[in-house]
Amino acid sequence: MARSNNGESHLYRTFFRWQQRIPSPVRYVLVVAIYLIIWTILDKVATKFETAPEIQIWYPPSALDFVLLLVFGLRYTPALLLNTLVHEYVVTQRGLNFITLELFNLITTAGYAGACALLLFKVRINPRLHQLRDVVWFNIIAIFFAPLIVACLQVINFAYSGIIPWSNWVTYTLHYWAGDATGIAMLAPVLLILLRKLPWVWLHKEQEPPATQGELRWPTRQEIPELLIEGIALGIGIWIGYGTPKGSNLDYTYFVFLPLIWSALRHGFERVAATVSTINIGVALLVRIKFGQSNLLALQFGLMAMSQTGLLLGAVTTQRLHTQKALRDSNKQLTYNAFHDPLTGLFNRSLFMKHLEYAVEHRKKYENFQFAVVFIDLDGFKVINDSLGHLFGDQLLINIVSKLKACLRPTDTIARLGGDEFIILLEDLSDVNDAILVAEQIQAELILPFMLNRQEVFISASIGIAMSASSNTSTEDLLRDADIAMYRAKKFGKGRYEVFDPSMHLQAVERLQMETDIRRAIERQEFLIYYQPLVSLVTGKIIGFESLIRWQHPQHGLLFPATFISIAEETGLLRFIDEWVMRESCHQIQQWQEQILTTPPLLISVNLCNKHFAQPNLVEQISQILQQTNLDAPCFKLEITENVIVENALYADTLLLQLKALGIQLCIDDFGTGYSSLGRLHNLPIDELKIDQSFIKNLNNDRNLEITEAIVTLGLKLNVKVTAEGIETSEQLAQLRQMKCGYGQGYYFSHPLPTNAAEALILANPQW
Ligand code: C2E
Ligand code: MG
Ligand code: MG
C-alpha cells in the first residue's frame, strides 16, 4: 500500500474523506446500527455462557457500551436504550414485563453513561488508555464501580419483578457484577487499543499523541518463536487451571498467573489486554459445561481479579517502558545536539575535528593517503539575512546544504562551523586536483539561482583548500590553512577558490603584525592627514579639501591607505581612525576658515568606512564633533561609497536622513563602481556624486566618456553636484568642463598635501 510521509495509507485517507462527507445524522444511524449488530452477536455469545437468568460467566456487550460512548461520545447514549430491547425481543425472549424492561434499560444506560461522563469530563482520562493513570481510572470506574452499582440496582429490579427470588439478592448481585466487570475488562481495553489506529473515529481528538506510544503492530519474524512459547504456556496454564477435571474446584487457577504476569511485565498493557481476553475466552470455553452454581462465584471473582491485575500490571510496565524510552530518546537527543548543528543537521565543529583527527592519524600510518580540508564561506550572506530576514536566511542555508551534499561522496564529511561557514573533509584523494574539482563543482552548483518563497536569490562562495601535507601538521593547522586560503579567495574577488600554500601563511602572519602595528600607531599618533583640494570647475578656485589618511610608519616610512586600510577596516580599528580623522580635519578646516577668509567658506570632505557607518551612535558623534570644533554643518561633507549603502540596506535610508538632518552634506564616493540601483538613488538624500577616477583616467575611451557624461547628466537631473575624481591632465579638465561637470579633484590641481603645504596653497589662491 502506498504510504504518505506521515505514515497514513491512501486507503485510510480516502476513507477519512469519505466519512467526513457523510452528513452527521447518517453517520449517527450507521454507527448505532453497527453497534447494535456487534452488540447482538456478543449478547448471543454471552448468553451461551448463562448459568442462571441474566447471569453469565462474563458479559462483554457491556464493554461495547463503554467503547461506543468513550470513542464516539456521549451523544450516542440513546443507542444504549435500544440494546435492552434487542436483548429481550431478539436474543432471550424471556417475556419481561414492560416496566421491568424499561427499568432494566434506564439503569444500565444511566450507570454506564454516567461512568463514561465521569471518566471523560471529571477525571479527564485519555480513553485511548496510553498512560497508567488512564488505565487505573478505567479500572476503578468502568470495571469496578459502574458494574457494581448497575448490578445492585438491576438485581433489585429483577427481584421486584420476580425473575429471581429476593433471598438470592446478594449472590445474584455479585454474579451480575463479576460478569459485567470481567466482560468490560476482557473486551473494552482491546477495542480501545485497536481503535487508536483509526484516529478519525474519535470524537475527542488527541491534541498531541504521546511521543512514546505503546506499539500496536504485527510481531516481527524474530518475535514469533517467543510469541509461540508464550501462547503455549498460556494454553497450558489455562488448561491446568480450568481444564483438568480437578480444576473444577479451582485449586490450580494460579497457574494462569504465570503467563499472564509474564505477558504484562515483558510486553506491557497493549499485549496483556489481549492476553486477558484470551484467558477469559479460553476459560469460558473450558468450564462452560463443568461448573455448577456452587463454584461459579469463585470462578467469576477469580477471572475478575485476574483481569484487573493483568491490566494494571501491564499499564505499570508500559509506563516504565515509556519513561525508559523517553530517557533514552532525550539522551540520544542530547548527544546528537552536542555534535550537530541544529539548523542543518550537519556535524558541528567538534565532531568534524574528531573525523579530521582520524584522517591525520591515518596519514601518519599510510604515506599515500591524501585528504583535503575545504573551507567554504558564503559571499554576501549577511546582506540576504539582513534584508530578507533570518527565517529566509535559514531556509537558504538548508537549501545550500543540500546542494553541497550533492557535490560530495558519501564518505566525505561536511560540517557547519556556524553562520555561513562550512567545512568539508575529502578523504582518499589522488592529488589536489580532486579537491579542486569538488570546489569547482560546488561553485557551479551555487551559482544557479535559488528559488525561495517565489524569490530568486543568487549566492556565491569563497572556498579555501588545504591539502594534507607533511605528516606532522595538526588538525588545527589544517583548519587554519584552509581558512587562510578561503580568506584569500574572498579578498581576490569572492566566488572563487584558492589552494593554500605556505607563503599564504607568511602573509597571514604579516597581516597579524600589521594589525598589531595599527593598534600601536593609534596610541603613538603615527597617523597624519593629507589634504587634497576640491576645485570648482566653473570658477577654477579651491572650494575645500578631502582628508586622506597617511601613516608615518617607524620602519616602512609614509604608507598610503591601500596598504593598511582594509586590515584596519576588518579588525574594526578603522572606525576609531575615522573618528580621529573627522575631528582633526574639522578642527583644521575651522582654523583655516578663521585665518583665511574665502567665499563661500572652505569645506572639508571626509571618508567613512562601512563599520563606522554601521555604528549606532554615528549621528551623535558627528554632531558632537561639529559642536566641539565649532564648524558649520554645511561645511562638512561625508563620503560614503555605494557599497556601504548597499551592505547596510536595512537602515541606510533612515540613517542618511538623520545625517542629513544635521545639515551636513552627503556624497557618494567612487560612484559608478558599486551596485546601487538608480531607482534607489533617487530617494536618497544625497548632495553629491563623485565619479570614480577609473572613468576619468581613460576619458579618451568612448565607453568611459559616455558613462561620465551620463553621470553628469544624471546629477543635473537629480539636482545633485557632480565631482570628477582623478583629473590628471588639462584635456581631461577641458572635457569635463565641456560636459558641465561642476567640480573636480586630482593631481592636475594638486596631490594630497600635508597641512603646511595645503595652507600655503590656500594662501596662494590659485585659479585653474
Ligand atoms: P578616495 O576616497 O576615492 O580618495 C581618492 C584617492 O584617489 C586618494 O588616494 C587620492 O590620493 C587619489 N587621487 C586623487 N587624485 C588622483 C589622481 O589624479 N590620480 C590618481 N591616480 N589618484 C588620485 P589615497 O589617499 O591613497 O586613498 C585611497 C582611498 O583610501 C580613498 O579613496 C578612500 O577610500 C580611502 N581613505 C583615505 N583616507 C581615508 C580615511 O581617513 N578614512 C577612510 N575610511 N578611508 C580613507
Ligand atoms: Mg573619498
Ligand atoms: Mg574615490
Side-chain angles (χ1 to χ4, degrees):
M1 207 184 304
R3 278 178 178 278
S4 64
N5 304 346
N6 50 13
E8 293 170 354
S9 68
H10 283 306
L11 190 68
Y12 162 77
R13 271 182 291 150
T14 320
F15 203 44
F16 179 58
R17 257 181 263 132
W18 171 78
Q19 68 94 26
Q20 268 196 328
R21 239 180 275 145
I22 305 179
S24 185
V26 179
R27 182 187 153 126
Y28 194 98
V29 172
L30 212 71
V31 171
V32 172
I34 295 170
Y35 158 77
L36 280 180
I37 291 169
I38 303 175
W39 197 93
T40 312
I41 295 169
L42 290 174
D43 193 30
K44 261 196 179 311
V45 173
T47 320
K48 290 255 182 298
F49 300 99
E50 193 168 69
T51 53
E54 298 303 325
I55 297 300
Q56 296 85 5
I57 294 178
W58 38 242
Y59 192 66
S62 302
L64 209 62
D65 297 351
F66 275 96
V67 173
L68 177 74
L69 300 188
L70 289 178
V71 175
F72 294 91
L74 289 178
R75 53 188 179 169
Y76 282 89
T77 307
L80 267 55
L81 291 170
L82 298 175
N83 62 35
T84 324
L85 304 177
V86 173
H87 178 66
E88 168 61 19
Y89 296 119
V90 180
V91 182
T92 57
Q93 290 159 352
R94 200 158 272 139
L96 295 180
N97 71 44
F98 186 72
I99 296 184
T100 312
L101 194 66
E102 277 318 300
L103 274 174
F104 190 175
N105 222 340
L106 286 177
I107 290 167
T108 322
T109 308
Y112 291 166
C116 287
L118 213 62
L119 284 173
L120 287 175
F121 304 117
K122 190 79 198 142
V123 195
R124 291 182 173 278
I125 66 161
N126 181 342
R128 293 157 189 86
L129 305 183
H130 289 304
Q131 310 278 340
L132 176 61
R133 152 172 207 284
D134 304 331
V135 178
V136 169
W137 279 111
F138 188 82
N139 257 286
I140 294 173
I141 295 177
I143 303 183
F144 195 88
F145 278 112
L148 181 60
I149 292 164
V150 168
C152 289
L153 298 174
Q154 216 60 279
V155 173
I156 293 173
N157 181 25
F158 292 155
Y160 193 78
S161 63
I163 300 174
I164 54 161
W166 274 108
S167 55
N168 281 353
W169 185 79
V170 175
T171 345
Y172 250 80
T173 304
L174 294 176
H175 282 306
Y176 195 109
W177 174 41
D180 262 20
T182 313
I184 296 167
M186 69 184 273
L187 189 63
V190 173
L191 287 182
L192 291 173
I193 290 166
L194 285 173
L195 285 173
R196 285 179 196 169
K197 282 277 180 201
L198 308 178
W200 47 270
V201 302
W202 297 79
L203 175 67
H204 302 284
K205 298 283 174 271
E206 215 164 9
Q207 284 335 33
E208 232 178 282
T212 50
Q213 292 199 29
E215 300 166 75
L216 192 63
R217 52 173 178 80
W218 294 109
T220 61
R221 191 176 290 194
Q222 288 87 340
E223 287 166 343
I224 288 178
E226 187 186 334
L227 198 70
L228 278 176
I229 293 171
E230 281 176 31
I232 293 167
L234 193 62
I236 294 173
I238 297 172
W239 175 254
I240 297 176
Y242 299 90
T244 56
K246 258 196 124 219
S248 56
N249 60 20
L250 300 176
D251 278 349
Y252 298 111
T253 51
Y254 47 80
F255 268 95
V256 179
F257 273 88
L258 188 69
L260 177 77
I261 291 172
W262 174 256
S263 165
L265 289 189
R266 175 136 167 84
H267 305 291
F269 179 67
E270 284 76 12
R271 177 73 78 80
V272 89
T275 309
V276 164
S277 296
T278 314
I279 293 173
N280 280 301
I281 295 168
V283 170
L285 289 173
L286 280 175
V287 301
R288 198 183 137 204
I289 333 116
K290 291 190 199 126
F291 268 79
Q293 194 67 26
S294 60
N295 272 336
L296 182 64
L297 206 57
L299 171 75
Q300 280 189 306
F301 269 68
L303 289 178
M304 183 169 77
M306 183 192 56
S307 304
Q308 293 219 13
T309 312
L311 293 178
L312 285 174
L313 215 55
V316 171
T317 306
T318 299
Q319 187 87 352
R320 216 192 55 221
L321 291 176
H322 285 181
T323 323
Q324 279 173 356
K325 185 165 182 306
L327 217 69
R328 261 200 320 270
D329 286 353
S330 74
N331 253 340
K332 244 195 243 164
Q333 192 62 42
L334 278 177
T335 325
Y336 182 88
N337 290 351
F339 291 110
H340 291 82
D341 166 51
L343 176 68
T344 58
L346 294 181
F347 288 2
N348 64 8
R349 185 198 168 96
S350 59
L351 192 53
F352 179 85
M353 290 314 264
K354 284 232 157 13
H355 280 249
L356 188 54
E357 233 164 73
Y358 292 138
V360 169
E361 288 304 314
H362 196 70
R363 181 166 161 86
K364 280 184 187 158
K365 280 188 225 140
Y366 305 98
E367 277 277 302
N368 290 335
F369 176 74
Q370 294 244 42
F371 64 88
V373 176
V374 180
F375 202 110
I376 302 174
D377 189 291
L378 303 177
D379 304 321
F381 181 74
K382 188 179 168 314
V383 179
I384 294 178
N385 226 7
D386 286 350
S387 53
L388 299 175
H390 285 240
L391 273 179
F392 191 93
D394 285 355
Q395 211 54 46
L396 182 62
L397 281 177
I398 291 169
N399 279 277
I400 288 171
V401 166
S402 60
K403 282 201 178 184
L404 290 178
K405 279 182 177 166
C407 300
L408 302 178
R409 301 164 301 176
T411 46
D412 299 332
T413 311
I414 172 166
R416 182 175 173 214
L417 290 188
D420 57 354
E421 288 180 347
F422 299 92
I423 185 120
I424 298 172
L425 172 62
L426 302 171
E427 290 180 84
D428 232 346
L429 306 179
S430 40
D431 56 29
V432 68
N433 288 323
D434 287 353
I436 288 177
L437 226 63
V438 175
E440 282 174 346
Q441 205 182 336
I442 288 174
Q443 265 156 354
E445 272 292 326
L446 290 187
I447 230 160
L448 305 171
F450 287 84
M451 270 310 270
L452 269 183
N453 303 347
R454 274 186 263 138
Q455 194 153 5
E456 235 178 17
V457 190
F458 292 88
I459 196 124
S460 66
S462 299
I463 300 180
I465 302 170
M467 287 300 289
S468 51
S470 58
S471 52
N472 55 8
T473 20
S474 72
T475 52
E476 288 297 339
D477 286 352
L478 280 162
L479 201 64
R480 182 204 59 206
D481 293 351
D483 190 9
I484 290 176
M486 183 283 290
Y487 180 79
R488 209 179 155 81
K490 200 148 256 211
K491 195 168 167 193
F492 290 111
K494 302 181 174 175
R496 43 181 286 146
Y497 66 83
E498 286 285 340
V499 181
F500 175 81
D501 77 75
S503 71
M504 286 184 191
H505 185 212
L506 212 68
Q507 285 168 11
V509 171
E510 279 171 4
R511 226 180 81 86
L512 198 70
Q513 184 59 45
M514 180 64 104
E515 195 185 321
T516 336
D517 285 357
I518 293 174
R519 281 178 205 279
R520 207 170 299 150
I522 297 177
E523 286 164 27
R524 296 187 186 166
Q525 306 188 332
E526 291 168 0
F527 289 112
L528 303 170
I529 300 176
Y530 272 45
Y531 296 92
Q532 188 178 31
L534 303 165
V535 178
S536 159
L537 299 192
V538 181
T539 61
K541 295 273 186 183
I542 297 176
I543 55 143
F545 291 90
E546 175 175 5
S547 307
L548 295 161
I549 189 135
R550 301 289 180 264
W551 180 4
Q552 190 64 54
H553 194 282
Q555 281 106 44
H556 307 306
L558 191 69
L559 296 182
F560 285 80
T563 51
F564 60 88
I565 213 139
S566 63
I567 299 177
E569 165 129 45
E570 280 156 30
T571 49
L573 295 169
L574 187 56
R575 63 192 154 97
F576 298 113
I577 300 175
D578 273 359
E579 193 194 341
W580 174 79
V581 171
M582 264 189 221
R583 198 178 294 277
E584 193 63 26
S585 37
C586 282
H587 181 67
Q588 184 59 64
I589 206 79
Q590 204 277 334
Q591 278 194 340
W592 282 339
Q593 282 181 356
E594 269 183 13
Q595 291 164 13
I596 315 154
L597 279 179
T598 55
T599 33
L602 290 173
L603 60 84
I604 190 75
S605 196
V606 294
N607 295 286
L608 194 74
C609 72
N610 195 347
K611 288 238 168 81
H612 199 170
F613 186 75
Q615 197 172 291
N617 62 347
L618 175 69
V619 181
E620 251 168 66
Q621 204 179 66
I622 293 178
S623 114
Q624 220 177 45
I625 291 175
L626 291 175
Q627 255 177 19
Q628 286 165 355
T629 56
N630 210 12
L631 183 71
D632 273 353
C635 298
F636 181 83
K637 185 161 64 181
L638 265 189
E639 296 193 9
I640 304 159
T641 62
E642 291 179 81
N643 292 343
V644 169
I645 296 174
V646 174
E647 280 171 37
N648 299 286
L650 267 189
Y651 50 86
D653 296 28
T654 357
L655 190 57
L656 289 177
L657 280 171
Q658 286 172 350
L659 288 169
K660 194 65 215 146
L662 290 178
I664 64 172
Q665 299 192 43
L666 298 175
C667 162
I668 297 191
D669 202 354
D670 303 344
F671 188 75
T673 55
Y675 300 100
S676 61
S677 79
L678 289 178
R680 214 149 158 238
L681 195 67
H682 181 63
N683 294 321
L684 294 176
I686 291 297
D687 301 279
E688 179 178 335
L689 300 175
K690 213 179 208 191
I691 308 173
D692 191 66
Q693 38 178 293
S694 58
F695 300 108
I696 310 300
K697 198 172 283 169
N698 303 305
L699 259 190
N700 42 3
N701 172 320
D702 282 350
R703 189 178 147 270
N704 286 343
L705 189 75
E706 277 163 18
I707 293 178
T708 309
E709 266 174 341
I711 298 176
V712 173
T713 317
L714 180 73
L716 288 172
K717 285 261 153 64
L718 293 181
N719 199 20
V720 300
K721 291 178 228 159
V722 176
T723 301
E725 190 176 51
I727 303 175
E728 292 187 0
T729 65
S730 52
E731 290 82 49
Q732 289 165 348
L733 176 61
Q735 274 173 304
L736 287 160
R737 275 193 164 133
Q738 207 175 8
M739 286 176 208
K740 301 232 167 349
C741 175
Y743 301 88
Q745 175 185 0
Y747 294 169
Y748 176 77
F749 307 112
S750 161
H751 280 257
L753 304 169
T755 319
N756 293 342
E759 198 173 313
L761 188 69
I762 308 170
L763 287 169
N765 192 15
Q767 181 170 22
W768 289 282

